[in-house]
Amino acid sequence: MSLRMPRGRRTRLSLFTAGTASLALLATACGGSGGSSAAPDNFNYLSVTENTTVKTALTTLSKGACKPANDALPLKVETVPQASLDQKLQLLAGQNALPVQFAAGNAPALTQQLAKSGKVADLEPKLKELGVLDQLEPAAVSTIKALYGGKLEVLPYEYNIEGIFYNKKIFADNGLAVPGTWDELVSAAAKLESKDVQPFSASGQQGWPLTRLISDYLFRSLGPDALRKVADGQAKLTDPEYVKAADEVAALGKKGYFGKGVGSIDYDTAMNQFLSGKAAMFYMGSWALANISDAEQNKVGAANVGFMPFPAVAGGKGSVDQYPSNVGLGIALAAKSFDEKTGAWVSCITENYGATALKDHGTITGFKVNTEVKDANAVTTQVRDTVSSSRQNVLWFEALFSTKATTISQTNAASLVSGSMSPQQFMQTVQDALAAQ
Amino acid sequence: MHRVLGDRRAIALLLGPALLVYSLIMLVPMVWSLGYSFTKGNTIDGFTGNGVANFSRLFDDPAVRDALWFTLKYAVIVTAGQVVAGYLLALLYVFFLRRASALIRTLVFFPVVLPTVAVGLLFQKFFQVAPQTGPVNSLLNAVGIDSIDFFGSSGSAFWVLVAMDIWRSMGFYAVLLFAGLVDIPDEVLESARLDGATGLRLVRHIVVPLSLPVLMSSLIFSINGTLKAFDSIVALTNGGPGNGTTPLTLYMFQTSFTYSDYGYGSTIALLLTVVSLLVSLVVYRVSRRDLTEG
């Protein structure tokens, strides 16, 4: 039989097919423009899994000082692992679906890119309008501006300086003084190693705790603008004086000062090695004070932990009172959902966050502390004093790099200290990644 | 029936829906992706055409060469391992264990049903050196050898990866090849034995030729799977140390989604497609020739 259908049915069928096809096409074509700015239903906050301080502190605020803001626009926290944050942000930005507040990307370059396309709120005029700009610490504001091309694009939920935390007891037992120069640091490490104490703990899996050592060496030997010159193309990482820094750090690894299998040590393990007294020194930011103040994690006791600046390099142009500083993972606000209700949240945060974070978590932020808070321990006081007395800030190795160069630098750092990559090779690889974009 | 199938409208109606679905979910994205390889940009800034720049970059990029080399090396070694181990196991089931092989088959098949990520973590712990010494290093220490940082250099990380993937999938190939072996008629084997073929000679001249079709399917299966390996590598080494164990798939993923360079990412994807196609064609050609001869 021949297959025939009544005309009406055929028309319906073809219409149905056409309809399905166009719907499917529509579904695939969607995603470009998200339409006009819709007022958000929640104070959506996209955070990273690794950082628990910000979300806990915000939740505390939502029940306390910021309750009115929270009633108008309830806080809703969502988290992603830090390693996939950049991807998530890029996809959300592409769909014009950025949350009200979100952890800015791992490299400032991404946030700047978002800002350029008008997706991130420029906070300076907004905060001025709300009358709370003076609630931010000037040091934090200047650090943010140095990172984000002169603009205030993120809020400083953290304000960190970096340096070397050391175990006072291990130092005293081995007759070591706090090293003032790089050479003294290396010889202290050699002495510890000879007594079977692991000199440093560091996470090679994360990579940045190792590349920070390279950049700090560069800031001490070549001065605070060492990496700015690389970003501007006036110098190359493959220049001999730059390779020297990688060389020095690689030498520490070669002598086994980072312990076994540094490439497979993750952040928590490195922290744990130091806090359980298995390593004498730990290069880290002041956010580690939260862990140091926590008696449950810190087996050596907070009184046993000291803080020293990254040492000077003999004959170098930099000095020890130039502190590597950062605002942690800055938190940006989406431009399109910044309305009155969001503004209420932001004003409340700027006024109260500093005290809450210091009191509950022992962390230092870029917000002013408006109520008197007693420090948890001596090392916190020491770091807070250092923050308020530090005169010049420097950034970190990857601060001015692209996302690609950042990733390449951090994933290869372990190979550098384990000796499977030469310092020259390492710097060349990172320089190539920098040149690629 | 012939009239129905001879009618163009009937053909269109019968094939139409399937063709439509296939086009929408397979062809359109493929062409779309191909289109992206002539562009530059990302979802934030938008896309602009840049001609064949991505293709010339593909040829100059040392990372692509490394990744391609790694992909091929990995595919060849893991395929050889999987199929050989699977075949040996299948022979073991058929000729030695005979009817009693069910338990062994189940045990060997077990890793196939485990999630890849779980297997990755298992092997990470198995071979780790710090913070705890893993069982493998403990064993080395017990016989007086220093711990080895298996994931510290790309060479040793590669072999751990190979061991893991062969362990994980040999059970699957064993079952697949077992099905081919039990298909060989008993009379054939019996008469070969009567003619004096035993042991290795029996395997070489009777068993292998008769199970060649299923052996070839295993090869195609395996090589296509290993060329596209992604999850096991991400779970075990995440491409590290450095980019020492980064295959094309992972490099494509990083380029597109981490470095947000979608245009170049889809050019790498195209390269992978071409490589998979070529390898499949070669295997297919070889298998056809062998079949007609055998």
Side-chain angles (χ1 to χ4, degrees):
Chain A
M1 66 158 231
S2 104
L3 198 105
R4 292 221 169 168
M5 274 199 270
R7 178 171 287 272
R9 208 160 166 205
R10 241 189 298 157
T11 322
R12 256 182 284 148
L13 186 75
S14 52
L15 273 177
F16 176 70
T17 320
T20 321
S22 55
L23 264 181
L25 271 176
L26 202 68
T28 48
C30 258
S33 56
S36 61
S37 71
D41 298 330
N42 293 92
F43 188 58
N44 292 313
Y45 167 48
L46 178 70
S47 173
V48 293
T49 321
E50 285 86 344
N51 185 324
T52 52
T53 310
V54 179
K55 62 181 178 224
T56 323
L58 279 182
T59 311
T60 313
L61 285 179
S62 73
K63 290 174 189 150
C66 299
K67 196 160 184 314
N70 190 57
D71 288 344
L73 197 64
L75 172 73
K76 201 172 154 197
V77 182
E78 193 195 338
T79 58
V80 288
Q82 186 163 359
S84 48
L85 175 68
D86 288 7
Q87 292 163 25
K88 176 105 185 175
L89 288 179
Q90 283 163 16
L91 289 175
L92 287 175
Q95 297 159 6
N96 210 8
L98 283 171
V100 179
Q101 188 179 239
F102 53 92
N106 292 315
L110 174 62
T111 315
Q112 275 181 277
Q113 195 182 25
L114 288 173
K116 225 180 280 165
S117 59
K119 297 207 189 306
V120 172
D122 185 2
L123 293 173
E124 195 157 6
K126 298 268 187 200
L127 294 184
K128 213 176 263 171
E129 208 176 290
L130 293 166
V132 290
L133 188 61
D134 60 338
Q135 295 297 316
L136 269 54
E137 293 280 356
V141 173
S142 77
T143 305
I144 294 174
K145 286 188 172 172
L147 283 171
Y148 295 92
K151 285 204 167 156
L152 188 66
E153 282 168 2
V154 298
L155 288 176
Y157 279 78
E158 294 171 35
Y159 182 70
N160 308 303
I161 56 165
E162 291 170 16
I164 301 171
F165 290 95
Y166 63 96
N167 187 319
K168 286 181 179 166
K169 186 169 181 299
I170 296 180
F171 267 52
D173 288 351
N174 293 287
L176 290 171
V178 175
T181 66
W182 178 259
D183 296 331
E184 283 171 27
L185 183 78
V186 174
S187 65
K191 190 163 182 189
L192 289 165
E193 176 76 9
S194 71
K195 302 236 170 110
D196 269 343
V197 180
Q198 184 180 321
F200 300 97
S201 67
S203 163
Q205 205 178 63
Q206 299 252 333
W208 59 259
L210 297 169
T211 58
R212 296 283 161 99
L213 300 178
I214 303 177
S215 57
D216 287 357
Y217 189 93
L218 286 171
F219 292 134
R220 296 290 185 257
S221 63
L222 303 177
D225 56 350
L227 287 163
R228 170 71 61 189
K229 281 185 183 158
V230 174
D232 294 347
Q234 293 168 30
K236 283 205 163 78
L237 291 173
T238 44
D239 293 346
E241 64 272 28
Y242 284 86
V243 174
K244 167 98 165 95
D247 210 17
E248 289 286 339
V249 175
L252 296 182
K254 207 172 175 185
K255 292 175 195 151
Y257 294 169
F258 294 111
K260 273 186 206 161
V262 63
S264 50
I265 299 282
D266 61 18
Y267 176 81
D268 289 334
T269 308
M271 178 78 77
N272 189 34
Q273 279 178 334
F274 176 70
L275 294 181
S276 58
K278 287 186 191 124
M281 287 178 273
F282 185 43
Y283 180 89
M284 202 34 70
S286 49
W287 61 85
L289 287 172
N291 308 72
I292 291 169
S293 312
D294 183 355
E296 208 148 278
Q297 289 182 55
N298 188 353
K299 298 282 180 283
V300 299
N304 240 330
V305 178
F307 178 80
M308 62 171 142
F310 191 88
V313 169
K317 289 186 198 141
S319 88
V320 290
D321 56 13
Q322 292 158 347
Y323 279 91
S325 65
N326 64 63
V327 284
L329 204 52
I331 311 282
L333 286 132
K336 77 163 190 182
S337 53
F338 203 112
D339 59 4
E340 210 174 301
K341 289 175 180 173
T342 314
W345 254 113
V346 171
S347 334
C348 176
I349 289 169
T350 49
E351 280 161 8
N352 299 295
Y353 191 87
T356 305
L358 186 60
K359 192 169 72 192
D360 295 353
H361 306 280
T363 51
I364 298 161
T365 71
F367 300 112
K368 291 218 166 101
V369 178
N370 292 326
T371 33
E372 195 58 41
V373 179
K374 225 172 131 263
D375 284 344
N377 46 50
V379 66
T380 305
T381 311
Q382 191 190 352
V383 173
R384 278 185 74 191
D385 289 347
T386 316
V387 171
S388 54
S389 67
S390 89
R391 261 168 288 154
Q392 193 180 1
N393 302 327
V394 291
L395 298 172
W396 65 93
F397 195 53
E398 296 92 354
L400 306 167
F401 290 5
S402 62
T403 315
K404 180 173 186 179
T406 302
T407 313
I408 299 265
S409 152
Q410 294 176 356
T411 49
N412 283 296
S415 304
L416 173 72
V417 299
S418 72
S420 57
M421 202 175 204
S422 76
Q424 175 69 39
Q425 258 177 320
F426 173 79
M427 290 307 230
Q428 184 72 56
T429 311
V430 181
Q431 181 66 44
D432 288 348
L434 266 178
Q437 279 178 359
Chain B
M1 200 62 196
H2 181 258
R3 274 174 63 204
V4 174
L5 293 181
D7 185 348
R8 277 169 197 236
R9 268 177 303 173
I11 295 173
L13 191 77
L14 293 172
L15 280 183
L19 198 65
L20 186 77
V21 170
Y22 178 77
S23 309
L24 283 178
I25 65 173
M26 295 292 290
L27 295 180
V28 169
M30 266 168 77
V31 173
W32 204 301
S33 167
L34 183 66
Y36 273 126
S37 50
F38 296 100
T39 63
K40 180 184 158 154
N42 54 52
T43 50
I44 302 169
D45 298 335
F47 294 89
T48 48
N50 71 337
V52 292
N54 284 330
F55 292 90
S56 57
R57 188 173 153 199
L58 194 69
F59 288 103
D60 295 336
D61 189 352
V64 162
R65 272 198 294 275
D66 291 347
L68 183 62
W69 170 237
F70 177 84
T71 303
L72 294 176
K73 191 170 71 165
Y74 174 84
V76 168
I77 294 177
V78 173
T79 297
Q82 278 172 348
V83 176
V84 169
Y87 201 60
L88 290 177
L89 280 168
L91 289 175
L92 184 80
Y93 298 160
V94 175
F95 292 102
F96 289 92
L97 301 170
R98 293 172 204 278
R99 303 265 172 259
S101 70
L103 176 70
I104 306 288
R105 263 185 291 156
T106 312
L107 287 178
V108 176
F109 192 77
F110 189 62
V112 179
V113 300
L114 290 176
T116 319
V117 176
V119 176
L121 289 177
L122 179 77
F123 269 69
Q124 238 173 33
K125 296 287 168 222
F126 212 62
F127 284 90
Q128 80 177 349
V129 55
Q132 272 99 38
T133 310
V136 173
N137 274 319
S138 302
L139 208 69
L140 289 178
N141 292 345
V143 295
I145 304 173
D146 264 350
S147 294
I148 299 170
D149 185 5
F150 287 97
F151 301 112
S153 81
S154 50
S156 49
F158 174 74
W159 289 110
V160 174
L161 199 58
V162 166
M164 180 180 89
D165 271 337
I166 292 176
W167 179 78
R168 194 170 61 86
S169 54
M170 65 183 183
F172 173 75
Y173 291 97
V175 168
L176 196 70
L177 292 161
F178 173 73
L181 289 185
V182 287
D183 258 3
I184 299 174
D186 280 342
E187 304 87 69
V188 177
L189 295 175
E190 204 51 47
S191 54
R193 283 207 185 92
L194 286 176
D195 289 342
T198 51
L200 269 184
R201 288 181 62 194
L202 180 76
V203 169
R204 206 181 130 204
H205 295 288
I206 307 293
V207 178
V208 170
L210 284 180
S211 57
L212 206 59
V214 66
L215 208 53
M216 279 301 162
S217 342
S218 308
L219 269 184
I220 297 180
F221 250 129
S222 176
I223 204 136
N224 257 313
T226 47
L227 278 175
K228 291 182 286 189
F230 181 79
D231 49 354
S232 58
I233 299 175
V234 171
L236 189 73
T237 63
N238 199 17
N243 60 355
T245 56
T246 303
L248 274 180
T249 48
L250 183 56
Y251 185 52
M252 174 199 74
F253 178 80
Q254 286 169 342
T255 307
S256 308
F257 301 111
T258 311
Y259 314 150
S260 79
D261 195 348
Y262 291 83
Y264 190 47
S266 62
T267 316
I268 300 170
L270 186 69
L271 173 68
L272 184 66
T273 313
V274 171
V275 170
S276 295
L277 200 66
L278 283 180
V279 171
S280 298
L281 277 178
V282 168
V283 177
Y284 188 61
R285 262 295 178 61
V286 170
S287 73
R288 261 172 54 136
R289 199 187 58 211
D290 274 358
L291 278 183
T292 48
E293 280 177 2

